[in-house]
Amino acid sequence: MSEQAETWLAPERGNYAVMAVMLFLARILGRKVLTRFIWPISLYYLLHDGTARRGSWVYLCRVLGRRPTELERWRHIHAYALTVLDRIFILGNKATVPPYTVRGSEAIFEALDKGKGCILLGAHVGSFDALRSVSRFASRKIRLRVLMYRRFVGAASKAIEQLDPNYENAIIHIGEPHTMLHVAEALQQGQVVAILGDRAPDMGRSMAVPVLGKDAPLPLGPLRLAAITGAPVVLFSALRCSDGHYDIRFEPFAEHIKLDGTRTQQAQILKTWLARYAAWLETLCRRDPFSWFNFYDFWKERS
């Protein structure tokens, strides 16, 4: 891949054989022991994955306000490797789920009580799969659907996903003819539709807003989806703490996004909401600088 064409829309990295070994070791050793042996994998990607190395460098420079050390660049990629490893235990049975604390879950239930479903809006910060733990073990039944772009999912990820027989059934695929129909039906049935809002499959449907001091394209799809369906929006994050447990938080974002007026006025409304989302994203990044996993040219500096 050339530097000029660097994008997240590329085949997912990962080796099926390595993942098969990790799945076997996970059953034998358990999460705590296996976590100690992940550092060689993260070191390998630091040395051999140029796209991830450049993406990490640019991001860490912005969030830290200085040039990162080599140890910090490794720590960033290592944090991602640990999160990928945890997918094995999150998607397994109840006994293997990593410990977690949940704050603000009432925001979901209050949104669902409005009768229009709920859109959960997150980012590639921490673990997206931790959301499944909340939905599976919540005191009140939650039907979760996940809106995902699946074209470039690799064999390693598929091997992990097979641990949960219901994984694929919960997914609504982005970019298919009936995507919007499936989303609308899910929301009408009082379900929760989760989506990550910091990457756009189609950059033509994005808008540039400041993120960590420089404009970056953020997708308009989640906001337009909320406006069309009338569903309330709740923000979601799940950061992995140093002791291995997950800090899961929900917070209200929008009761109803209305797009009124001319196209120019609607664009301004969208930009205002995107700026609020970007501010939330920045807060997460500054809280844990090593947990945002956008390892590509996010700010379009090479285009």
Side-chain angles (χ1 to χ4, degrees):
M1 183 186 299
S2 69
E3 292 184 355
Q4 295 295 323
E6 192 173 293
T7 172
W8 70 272
L9 286 172
E12 185 180 77
R13 301 166 187 85
N15 183 285
Y16 179 83
V18 172
M19 186 54 64
V21 171
M22 296 301 292
L23 290 170
F24 172 75
L25 292 177
R27 292 193 296 269
I28 303 299
L29 302 178
R31 176 175 180 254
K32 187 175 181 179
V33 174
L34 193 56
T35 295
R36 300 171 185 169
F37 296 96
I38 293 300
W39 69 265
I41 297 176
S42 52
L43 180 60
Y44 172 86
Y45 278 101
L46 175 64
L47 296 175
H48 296 280
D49 192 330
T51 298
R53 192 166 58 248
R54 286 189 297 270
S56 176
W57 170 266
V58 171
Y59 161 68
L60 289 177
C61 282
R62 292 195 175 280
V63 73
L64 298 177
R66 57 173 172 78
R67 295 163 63 95
T69 65
E70 288 302 311
L71 180 61
E72 287 170 330
R73 296 172 76 182
W74 171 79
R75 182 179 173 186
H76 187 201
I77 294 176
H78 185 61
Y80 176 66
L82 290 174
T83 302
V84 172
L85 174 65
D86 281 346
R87 295 190 74 205
I88 296 174
F89 301 96
I90 291 172
L91 298 182
N93 57 47
K94 184 174 181 178
T96 68
V97 173
Y100 61 87
T101 56
V102 180
R103 308 184 195 186
S105 58
E106 63 276 4
I108 301 178
F109 303 131
E110 290 173 1
L112 290 174
D113 288 341
K114 299 181 185 301
K116 295 184 178 181
C118 173
I119 294 175
L120 275 183
L121 182 58
H124 290 80
V125 181
S127 171
F128 190 35
D129 286 301
L131 180 59
R132 295 176 182 272
S133 298
V134 178
S135 65
R136 286 158 64 188
F137 309 132
S139 57
R140 175 174 164 182
K141 184 175 177 59
I142 298 174
R143 178 71 190 281
L144 177 68
R145 305 297 301 278
V146 181
L147 198 56
M148 296 179 68
Y149 190 78
R150 300 281 288 173
R151 180 178 175 186
F152 295 114
V153 173
S157 287
K158 290 180 180 178
I160 298 176
E161 292 166 4
Q162 290 173 0
L163 294 172
D164 184 352
N166 296 317
Y167 190 93
E168 183 66 28
N169 294 335
I171 295 174
I172 299 175
H173 293 255
I174 294 176
E176 296 189 348
H178 302 295
T179 297
M180 283 301 299
L181 177 61
H182 293 322
V183 171
E185 289 177 345
L187 293 172
Q188 288 171 2
Q189 294 170 11
Q191 298 175 11
V192 175
V193 176
I195 184 172
L196 301 181
D198 54 345
R199 294 181 189 174
D202 182 353
M203 286 297 126
R205 298 178 183 176
S206 62
M207 181 179 290
V209 296
V211 180
L212 294 173
K214 184 175 181 179
D215 281 356
L218 292 178
L220 293 170
L223 299 181
R224 291 191 180 279
L225 179 61
I228 292 171
T229 62
V233 183
V234 174
L235 296 172
F236 159 77
S237 64
L239 297 181
R240 191 183 195 277
C241 302
S242 58
D243 62 358
H245 96 273
Y246 280 87
D247 178 14
I248 301 175
R249 303 188 188 188
F250 301 93
E251 56 184 283
F253 183 68
E255 289 190 9
H256 184 200
I257 294 178
K258 296 181 180 180
L259 295 180
D260 299 325
T262 65
R263 286 189 176 182
T264 300
Q265 292 171 327
Q266 291 181 17
Q268 186 56 50
I269 293 171
L270 289 169
K271 190 163 189 175
T272 299
W273 283 109
L274 274 184
R276 287 185 58 187
Y277 172 80
W280 169 80
L281 177 59
E282 288 181 347
T283 299
L284 286 179
C285 291
R286 297 192 188 284
R287 196 168 102 214
D288 187 348
F290 303 103
S291 286
W292 192 27
F293 306 133
N294 263 345
F295 296 111
Y296 72 103
D297 185 16
F298 177 74
W299 283 273
K300 297 299 173 184
E301 296 187 339
R302 297 178 181 274
S303 59

